[in-house]
Amino acid sequence: LSHPAGGYKKLFETVEELSSPVTAHVTGRIPTWLRGSLLRCGPGLFEVGSEPFYHLFDGQALLHKFDFKEGHVTYHRRFVRTDAYVRAMTEKRIVITEFGTYAYPDPCKNIFSRFFSYFKGVEVTDNALVNVYPVGEDYYACTETNFITRINPDTLETIKQVDLCKYVSVNGATAHPHIENDGTVYNIGNCFGKNFSLAYNIIRIPPLQADKEDPMNKSEVVVQFPCSDRFKPSYVHSFGLTPNYIVFVETPVKINLLKFLSSWSLWGANYMDCFESNETMGVWLHVAEKKKGRLLNLKYRTSAFNLFHHINTYEDNGFLIVDLCTWKGFEFVYNYLYLANLRANWDEVKRQAEKAPQPEARRYVLPLSIDKADTGKNLVTLPYTTATATLRSDETIWLEPEVIFSGPRHAFEFPQINYRKYGGKPYTYTYGLGLNHFVPDRLCKLNVKTKETWVWQEPDAYPSEPIFVSHPDALEEDDGVVLSIVISPGAGPKPAFLLILNAKDMSEVARAEVEVNIPVTFHGLFKRA
């Protein structure tokens, strides 16, 4: 599809929160077994007074909830009361610097107090607009800094800000933790390692124990990955986890820490100004044993790409299979996600996307045991993949991927699987959001073995990340439904709806329409009743 009407611009419009849930109009039939809440996070406020936010990851965090009860659906949303939001509302201006927007000092203060406010240190944003995840019995909205925000998943009220630095040695953490079936949470964040060089810590938060103490108090670092550059950590958005291994993919998109620490105090930069690309490193993959917390002394290397989302990682006969949504090259994809780009007319959106790194879903295969006698040979012996791993004379293992999905300027992104049963294990299906020149305009199901795809698409309809919900009595991997919030600004009085698809063939089961616009959402989860 092409989008000359530009309806996708409605994804980036400010909306108001709701004072109470509204009833959605259902067409089709909601499965009787589907009971619980779809929770989603994204930006909902794109300017404060006359001051605009400039980047996709700057708008203030809005929490959304679709509730399912006996075939009925309600929709509710509230802004997360982060420091960034509360202070912006109080002072009627942008107070805390966001990802791509610099917060200027208060113009009402005199020149001396403004000058000294520069030297108070970095005020890190807590704008929790990226994801929601559980820790023990609690739920947290998060971004990628050290601050996460505890919320009430029933009322969407904000409970309190939590600083991860008080519990464990990380400067921040990803918005994509792995959560095991017993409730154990694993995440990764960068930190200062030995000799003040940078490193990446894997943190583990145990499940809720009989003593009912907050699991955060029992957080621990299980393993530390080294950094390829002593002072420039790579941007990390997600990582891979199997029953026995942790996989960290280190990309050439780097954070210049000296620039980061000086920019606030000296020349008023934002987070985006602190990113740079290492044009020669390619990609390094690191593996650690999960239970022993021990690094494998194996040097996996491949050509440069950006990485935001892991699809799944699993073990098979002495190999790790790592499936990723990649963007080819070392230039940072986020350079193309400024709101001016995303709100442009269709021809300009396409022109920009053609210059950007190109998307490809890939499978990499990492051999876990190496024999020097095999130098120069492909070490991958699995019959079902064309991915290769070649041992070089310098003891690096050069990886070439198998492409599992590729289309010109068409991305398979925001991947989801039947995580509860197949996360970290051999699997067949993944669901993704189709980006057409960065515009989300379809939902895809991909068979990673045969590369067969199924697509849901409608003219002038812009969906969000598909969330898979398994049937309670499912016997097959894809027995369940897929949920996605869709905006359809072109037609009729109901500009948005929750879409329910049959996860087997991506056919529509039902939709629940609401009379309010819903802006872009990034990630979320289904909380069973």
Side-chain angles (χ1 to χ4, degrees):
L1 289 181
S2 66
H3 304 286
Y8 50 81
K9 297 177 191 181
K10 296 290 282 186
L11 288 165
F12 316 112
E13 279 187 11
T14 291
V15 296
E16 292 183 347
E17 62 180 13
L18 297 172
S19 56
S20 58
V22 296
T23 301
H25 173 71
V26 174
T27 53
R29 183 167 287 180
I30 308 283
T32 51
W33 57 264
L34 189 63
R35 291 189 294 274
S37 309
L38 176 69
L39 294 167
R40 303 283 302 163
C41 239
L45 181 76
F46 292 91
E47 63 285 310
V48 181
S50 61
E51 296 184 14
F53 290 108
Y54 293 109
H55 200 274
L56 178 61
F57 302 130
D58 292 349
Q60 296 301 288
L62 186 62
L63 204 53
H64 307 255
K65 178 168 72 106
F66 278 92
D67 255 342
F68 300 86
K69 204 171 185 179
E70 292 160 6
H72 298 287
V73 182
T74 58
Y75 170 64
H76 193 28
R77 67 182 178 214
R78 296 197 66 178
F79 282 103
V80 186
R81 265 56 176 181
T82 59
D83 280 0
Y85 176 81
V86 171
R87 290 172 62 188
M89 292 298 97
T90 305
E91 299 190 32
K92 298 182 171 50
R93 65 185 188 88
I94 297 168
V95 180
I96 295 181
T97 292
E98 297 292 352
F99 204 75
T101 304
Y102 174 66
Y104 288 93
D106 187 347
C108 298
K109 289 182 178 171
N110 68 41
I111 189 77
F112 291 106
S113 60
R114 280 199 320 230
F115 177 77
F116 285 114
S117 75
Y118 275 118
F119 292 94
K120 284 183 184 167
V122 178
E123 202 166 21
V124 174
T125 182
D126 62 344
N127 182 20
L129 77 164
V130 185
N131 204 357
V132 188
Y133 64 89
V135 176
E137 292 179 335
D138 300 325
Y139 283 78
Y140 291 88
C142 65
T143 176
E144 298 183 314
T145 68
N146 52 303
F147 294 117
I148 60 177
T149 304
R150 191 173 151 205
I151 54 107
N152 181 323
D154 300 320
T155 64
L156 305 188
E157 286 171 349
T158 302
I159 298 172
K160 66 173 181 178
Q161 182 200 77
V162 171
D163 182 355
L164 291 171
C165 293
K166 292 181 177 172
Y167 298 94
V168 72
S169 174
V170 285
N171 302 325
T174 78
H176 291 287
H178 282 277
I179 295 156
E180 299 188 316
N181 289 344
D182 69 354
T184 304
V185 178
Y186 283 88
N187 209 340
I188 187 170
N190 58 52
C191 66
F192 289 104
K194 293 172 185 167
N195 308 321
F196 288 103
S197 60
L198 281 149
Y200 311 89
N201 278 344
I202 294 285
I203 59 174
R204 178 182 177 274
I205 307 171
L208 193 67
Q209 309 291 312
D211 62 12
K212 294 285 183 181
E213 188 189 342
D214 183 354
M216 287 282 190
N217 293 325
K218 300 173 183 176
S219 308
E220 60 177 350
V221 174
V222 291
V223 67
Q224 187 169 94
F225 289 110
C227 184
S228 60
D229 185 319
R230 189 170 169 182
F231 296 115
K232 294 177 183 176
S234 290
Y235 176 68
V236 50
H237 192 85
S238 63
F239 64 105
L241 192 74
T242 74
N244 296 300
Y245 296 96
I246 302 162
V247 178
F248 165 49
V249 179
E250 193 178 13
T251 72
V253 176
K254 294 284 184 182
I255 302 163
N256 184 324
L257 210 69
L258 295 174
K259 200 183 274 189
F260 180 84
L261 293 172
S262 65
S263 61
W264 267 256
S265 57
L266 297 178
W267 25 266
N270 55 56
Y271 294 81
M272 278 296 294
D273 295 321
C274 303
F275 287 103
E276 58 187 49
S277 292
N278 181 326
E279 298 181 10
T280 57
M281 77 168 271
V283 166
W284 297 20
L285 293 90
H286 307 271
V287 177
E289 290 181 44
K290 181 178 152 194
K291 295 184 176 85
K292 294 178 184 171
R294 188 172 67 92
L295 288 176
L296 298 193
N297 187 26
L298 295 170
K299 296 174 184 170
Y300 303 103
R301 302 285 185 267
T302 191
S303 49
F305 59 75
N306 284 220
L307 170 67
F308 308 105
H309 301 118
H310 282 244
I311 302 172
N312 197 15
T313 310
Y314 66 90
E315 307 163 27
D316 187 1
N317 281 311
F319 295 93
L320 283 174
I321 289 78
V322 182
D323 291 351
L324 308 171
C325 295
T326 69
W327 297 78
K328 293 181 257 188
F330 50 74
E331 190 193 359
F332 197 22
V333 171
Y334 287 3
N335 292 340
Y336 294 87
L337 300 183
Y338 282 94
L339 290 167
N341 273 5
L342 299 173
R343 290 169 170 153
N345 290 329
W346 178 235
D347 287 342
E348 179 61 19
V349 166
K350 286 195 293 185
R351 201 174 67 79
Q352 289 294 332
E354 280 165 16
K355 295 191 294 189
Q358 292 307 305
E360 200 165 72
R362 294 175 172 178
R363 167 165 290 179
Y364 287 90
V365 178
L366 283 55
L368 292 166
S369 56
I370 306 297
D371 186 337
K372 283 186 184 173
D374 291 329
T375 302
K377 295 179 188 170
N378 171 26
L379 307 176
V380 179
T381 54
L382 298 173
Y384 56 80
T385 181
T386 56
T388 63
T390 306
L391 182 60
R392 293 181 162 180
S393 55
D394 62 0
E395 296 188 8
T396 59
I397 302 151
W398 185 262
L399 306 174
E400 288 291 346
E402 174 185 359
V403 176
I404 54 178
F405 180 89
S406 185
R409 285 163 287 284
H410 279 63
F412 180 95
E413 259 291 355
F414 294 83
Q416 291 281 323
I417 61 169
N418 182 341
Y419 183 85
R420 192 164 176 83
K421 287 191 178 167
Y422 293 88
K425 297 178 185 144
Y427 74 116
T428 305
Y429 301 110
T430 176
Y431 301 87
L433 179 63
L435 302 181
N436 172 2
H437 299 75
F438 293 120
V439 171
D441 70 357
R442 64 197 185 285
L443 297 166
C444 301
K445 175 185 180 179
L446 170 65
N447 181 322
V448 297
K449 294 175 179 172
T450 65
K451 302 182 178 65
E452 185 181 3
T453 57
W454 297 256
V455 174
W456 177 90
Q457 191 169 40
E458 223 172 65
D460 298 317
Y462 305 98
S464 62
E465 172 190 57
I467 298 287
F468 174 83
V469 185
S470 179
H471 190 288
D473 305 317
L475 297 174
E476 293 173 292
E477 181 180 342
D478 58 350
D479 189 358
V481 295
V482 169
L483 307 178
S484 178
I485 296 174
V486 184
I487 72 147
S488 53
K494 296 187 170 63
F497 57 93
L498 181 86
L499 178 66
I500 303 173
L501 301 177
N502 181 329
K504 282 194 176 293
D505 61 7
M506 299 297 275
S507 62
E508 184 171 331
V509 173
R511 62 177 65 184
E513 297 175 303
V514 291
E515 293 180 4
V516 290
N517 184 44
I518 299 178
V520 61
T521 59
F522 299 132
H523 301 290
L525 56 83
F526 186 77
K527 177 179 175 285
R528 290 184 188 269

